[in-house]
Amino acid sequence: LDDPRYQDYIAQYKARFGKDPVVHAWMGYDDMMLIANAIKYRSAAPPLIHVSASPVAETESPSGFQIPNSGIKTGWLFSVSDNGIGIDFRHFEQIFGIFQRVDHGGKYPGTGIGLALCKKIVERHGGRIWVESEPGKGSTFHFTISGVI
C-alpha cells in the first residue's frame, strides 16, 4: 500500500499485507476501503490481509465456484481476505446498505458509508460485491468488474 493515509494504520497495528502482482495496477477505492476495514475490524492478532485478482470468464471463478448473480461473461474477480473479527451471515446484505452498520457497542467508529459506496462503484462497473465470513474467522470480500480479460 503506497497511500500514505494507510501507512500509519498499517504500522500501528503491525498489519501484514500481500497482493497478487496484477492487483497493483487496479487498486481503487474499493480495495482501499476493504483493506481499511480489515485493519479496523481486526482480531487480537496482527492483521493479515491478502488482495487477489483473477480473470473471469463465463461467470465461473478460477477456484471453480459460480459468481452468484453477477451476470459477468468476462472480467475480473477481486478478493480481499483478512483474519479479523468476521461477520455473522445475518448481516451479509445489511452491511452494504447506506448508513447500515453491525452494532458492536460503539467499539468501532464509522458512518456506514464505506461499503455502500463500494457497492455503488462496483455496480457502476457492471459487477457485484459480496462477502463470505464467519464470526471469529475473518472475512473475504469479493467483487467483480466486467471488461476484457
Side-chain angles (χ1 to χ4, degrees):
L1 282 172
D2 299 328
D3 190 320
R5 295 173 295 174
Y6 295 103
Q7 291 300 317
D8 290 341
Y9 220 25
I10 291 169
Q12 179 182 356
Y13 297 110
K14 297 179 177 64
R16 292 190 316 192
F17 177 73
K19 64 184 186 271
D20 293 349
V22 72
V23 171
H24 190 70
W26 200 94
M27 281 199 65
Y29 178 84
D30 296 344
D31 296 299
M32 298 305 259
M33 176 53 60
L34 296 174
I35 291 166
N37 278 356
I39 295 170
K40 180 188 205 176
Y41 296 100
R42 66 194 175 281
S43 63
L48 297 175
I49 304 158
H50 189 265
V51 181
S52 62
S54 303
V56 178
E58 299 301 326
T59 71
E60 187 175 313
S61 79
S63 62
F65 68 91
Q66 292 291 311
I67 298 173
N69 304 315
S70 70
I72 286 189
K73 297 286 186 218
T74 60
W76 290 88
L77 169 65
F78 289 84
S79 300
V80 179
S81 299
D82 65 54
N83 65 335
I85 62 171
I87 304 165
D88 189 286
F89 74 93
R90 295 174 295 178
H91 303 296
F92 284 5
E93 294 299 320
Q94 170 195 341
I95 61 173
F96 294 105
I98 189 80
F99 303 123
Q100 298 297 309
R101 305 186 69 227
V102 175
D103 182 17
H104 292 286
K107 184 176 180 181
Y108 303 99
T111 59
I113 294 175
L115 290 176
L117 187 54
C118 287
K119 181 179 179 187
K120 186 64 104 176
I121 292 168
V122 166
E123 288 173 347
R124 286 197 177 204
H125 284 86
R128 182 173 177 276
I129 187 168
W130 70 98
V131 64
E132 296 175 345
S133 183
E134 287 183 50
K137 295 188 177 183
S139 301
T140 299
F141 284 83
H142 302 281
F143 65 95
T144 56
I145 300 292
S146 64
V148 178
I149 57 172

